[in-house]
Amino acid sequence: MKAFFHSPLGCLEISSNGDKITSLYFNQELSPQGEVTGIMKECFTELDQYFKGERKTFTVDIDLEGTEFQKKVWMELMKIPFGDTISYLELSKRVGDIKSVRAVGNANGKNPVSIIVPCHRVIGSNGKMIGYGGGLWRKRWLLEFERTHTRKDLFSE
């Protein structure tokens, strides 16, 4: 099952197995579709809330297919808080092998469910943007968007 969501960054192509989201990728063009129902509707709602700055974590069910190592990396990605970033080196430490920086980068790049599994929150040790399947301009946009929506009201208690 496929559906297409129009985001501020362009079209997102979303796939599901009927029960869970299996992929979410940037797509060049918005394709026509019928009524969005079930898990896709839930995903659309959460993406809409995210892009309005109302949602910081996703609860929609996902099904990540990959190697055990990739899944371990992707699970660590989901622990990076909205608005924060970590380096590939830090991510390799979190998965338990400081020497696995390249493997971690490779797994990060193969993340099948972008945005929901926030691979965009991983940057170089020098603080620079490094790689993003949707393009570095989208990664920069997502990080700035999240930073903007994490600023606290100075007058809140």
Side-chain angles (χ1 to χ4, degrees), residues 47-151:
L47 285 168
D48 187 54
Q49 292 166 342
Y50 171 83
F51 284 113
K52 288 179 178 175
E54 299 168 354
R55 173 173 291 278
K56 300 197 181 348
T57 58
F58 290 88
T59 59
V60 66
D61 286 333
I62 58 176
D63 184 12
L64 298 171
E65 289 196 26
T67 67
E68 289 308 310
F69 180 78
Q70 288 171 331
K71 289 177 187 178
K72 189 174 183 180
V73 170
W74 300 334
M75 296 310 287
E76 283 301 319
L77 292 173
M78 291 192 287
K79 295 177 186 176
I80 306 169
F82 181 96
D84 286 350
T85 58
I86 65 169
S87 68
Y88 288 95
L89 180 61
E90 176 60 27
L91 185 56
S92 68
K93 289 177 187 175
R94 291 183 185 189
V95 297
D97 184 359
I98 195 168
K99 295 178 183 177
S100 67
V101 176
R102 285 183 191 261
V104 162
N106 189 30
N108 194 53
K110 292 188 180 196
N111 169 23
V113 187
S114 63
I115 300 174
I116 294 172
V117 177
C119 55
H120 61 277
R121 296 180 187 155
V122 183
I123 60 174
S125 294
N126 60 2
K128 298 213 173 179
M129 302 284 166
I130 299 174
Y132 187 64
L136 287 179
W137 71 271
R138 284 188 175 108
K139 181 174 188 167
R140 190 172 290 110
W141 189 97
L142 287 164
L143 293 175
E144 187 56 37
F145 171 80
E146 290 185 2
R147 284 186 193 115
T148 300
H149 286 85
T150 56
R151 295 190 180 125

